[in-house]
Amino acid sequence: MKKTINYFIIRAISATVLGVLLILCPQDAIRFVVITIGILFIVPGLLALISYFTSDKAKRPEIPVMFAGIGSLLFGIVLVAVPNFFVNVLMYILGIILIIGAIEQIVVLIRARKRATVPVALFLIPLLILAAGILVLFNPFETATTLFILIGITCLIYGVTEFIYWFKFKRKYDKVTK
């Protein structure tokens, strides 16, 4: 039980610290995520190239492995070098997906009106999704920042509830062991 309680504390502290950092520094968190993904591309790219060039010619991997390694390495370097560009690109893609999805839902509701009664309130959700998509397109970095702040708030709430659970379970555990 002591190990479980310690895990509660570790999870609570980790989530609380992560939540505070995401709330206070969301732009840095976004860049950190993209840079981390870049590093995750660089490492296998380097390993593939090292493997290719250090292997005996008879055991050497095929040439596509070398090109895949070069591609992975270059993509990782670009992610690390210009993370804001990729955040914006990803947010634009998200905005376009939201807009297309909202328009599809609106079209489905309009078609459904020809066959059944569709309350006007059902159009509210696709219109909100459409507005969110447009907002993302016109302000991608701010939207990403807001998203990371929301994730930070969620982590903070999780961390605080972990502390509450730990205190609650610790008291019950102490009563049982005495």
Side-chain angles (χ1 to χ4, degrees), residues 47-114:
L47 292 176
L49 290 175
I50 290 169
S51 171
Y52 182 82
F53 288 112
T54 59
S55 298
D56 293 338
K57 287 192 178 196
K59 295 179 182 178
R60 186 172 282 173
E62 297 178 17
I63 289 185
V65 171
M66 180 186 69
F67 286 121
I70 291 170
S72 179
L73 179 65
L74 291 176
F75 184 62
I77 290 170
V78 171
L79 283 171
V80 170
V82 285
N84 289 343
F85 171 77
F86 286 95
V87 170
N88 286 336
V89 168
L90 291 174
M91 294 308 292
Y92 283 121
I93 291 169
L94 175 63
I96 290 169
I97 289 170
L98 288 172
I99 289 170
I100 291 170
I103 291 171
E104 179 190 8
Q105 285 185 348
I106 291 168
V107 168
V108 166
L109 290 173
I110 290 171
R111 286 184 181 162
R113 278 187 139 184
K114 293 178 181 175

Side-chain angles (χ1 to χ4, degrees), residues 4 13 29 69 78 86 89 96 129 138-140 143 159 169 172 174:
T4 304
I13 292 170
V78 171
F86 286 95
V89 168
I96 290 169
I129 294 170
F138 285 104
N139 204 351
T143 305
F169 294 142
K172 287 185 179 185
D174 289 344

Side-chain angles (χ1 to χ4, degrees), residues 26-44:
Q27 295 89 355
D28 294 332
I30 296 166
R31 282 190 288 280
F32 177 75
V33 168
V34 174
I35 290 169
T36 302
I37 292 169
I39 292 168
L40 292 174
F41 274 94
I42 289 172
V43 170

Side-chain angles (χ1 to χ4, degrees), residues 106-150:
I106 291 168
V107 168
V108 166
L109 290 173
I110 290 171
R111 286 184 181 162
R113 278 187 139 184
K114 293 178 181 175
R115 295 192 175 123
T117 304
V118 177
V120 175
L122 288 182
F123 284 89
L124 183 61
I125 298 297
L127 289 173
L128 289 173
I129 294 170
L130 179 64
I134 292 169
L135 178 67
V136 169
L137 283 181
F138 285 104
N139 204 351
F141 200 72
E142 186 64 34
T143 305
T145 301
T146 303
L147 180 63
F148 271 80
I149 290 171
L150 288 173

